[in-house]
Amino acid sequence: MLSRLSAVATLAALLGFAAPALAADVSAFDPDKDGTIDLAEAQAAAAKKFDMLDPDKDGTLDARELNGLLTAAELKAADPDSDGTLDKKEYLAVVAARFKAADPDAEGTIDAKELSSPAGASLATLLK
């Protein structure tokens, strides 16, 4: 389990830093309005995104449903059972890895500056 999470975190960090920067809108993922996003808030937003991406409501996302949110390599790395799909738990593991990559000071929250970074933008694509 730990090695799988480490692999996903490493992959997300490498790919996250290569992602283009998006406009940082922390408020879209900040229900408590404290100006930052914590992992629970990010995962809550990601869970809603997952449900939106799953029109057939089978509880998994395949490459077509992910619609380019993950590369083929990222999907493979995040798919420990190698069934070609991500369930919600697997999707949230990718979110956690990208969150970690976007939180370089490891304080457990992401502010607007961090969300504006390439790693933050990579995370935001999985939330909105």
Side-chain angles (χ1 to χ4, degrees), residues 30-67:
D30 183 24
D32 65 4
K33 307 295 182 211
D34 68 353
T36 64
I37 306 164
D38 62 30
L39 181 57
E41 291 169 331
Q43 288 186 320
K48 288 179 186 175
K49 172 80 173 207
F50 181 96
D51 293 341
M52 186 179 74
L53 292 171
D54 185 20
D56 59 7
K57 304 301 180 210
D58 69 350
T60 64
L61 301 176
D62 59 26
R64 182 185 51 77
E65 291 169 320
L66 285 164
N67 195 27

Side-chain angles (χ1 to χ4, degrees), residues 90-126:
E90 292 165 341
Y91 186 81
L92 294 179
V94 175
V95 170
R98 288 192 183 184
F99 184 94
K100 183 176 180 179
D103 184 22
D105 55 12
E107 67 183 353
T109 60
I110 295 176
D111 60 24
K113 181 179 177 186
E114 291 167 327
L115 194 61
S116 294
S117 74
S122 179
L123 170 65
T125 64
L126 298 179

